[in-house]
Amino acid sequence: MPWTKEIASMYFEQFGQPDSDGTITFKWVMSRPLNCKFINNLVYVAGYNNDNDWGLAQRAISTCPNLFKNKTL
């Protein structure tokens, strides 16, 4: 199933666990270990790599299209 912005937003809201400092943590999504954190628009994936394979998160993220590539900010 292709993910849209709406689906991603729904998962972020339903499965993300916010902390008092603004960190949003994901442990499990769809019965799979995600184990990553979002802090100030950055994603920390050391936990994901530790649970799966070193560098796997970076390889997965590198396959995502850059939605802002042709937009001027």
Side-chain angles (χ1 to χ4, degrees), residues 14-70:
Q14 288 189 356
F15 295 104
Q17 300 168 354
D19 294 338
S20 60
D21 64 353
T23 299
I24 298 177
T25 304
F26 290 85
K27 293 292 184 184
W28 292 84
V29 174
M30 297 175 65
S31 301
R32 296 186 183 248
L34 194 56
N35 201 7
C36 67
K37 295 179 181 183
F38 289 83
I39 305 170
N40 297 327
N41 291 327
L42 297 173
V43 61
Y44 292 84
V45 297
Y48 181 91
N49 288 335
N50 188 49
D51 289 345
N52 295 283
D53 187 25
W54 188 251
L56 185 60
Q58 289 85 341
R59 291 193 304 268
I61 291 168
S62 72
T63 66
C64 296
N66 184 352
L67 299 176
F68 301 106
K69 184 177 181 180
N70 294 323

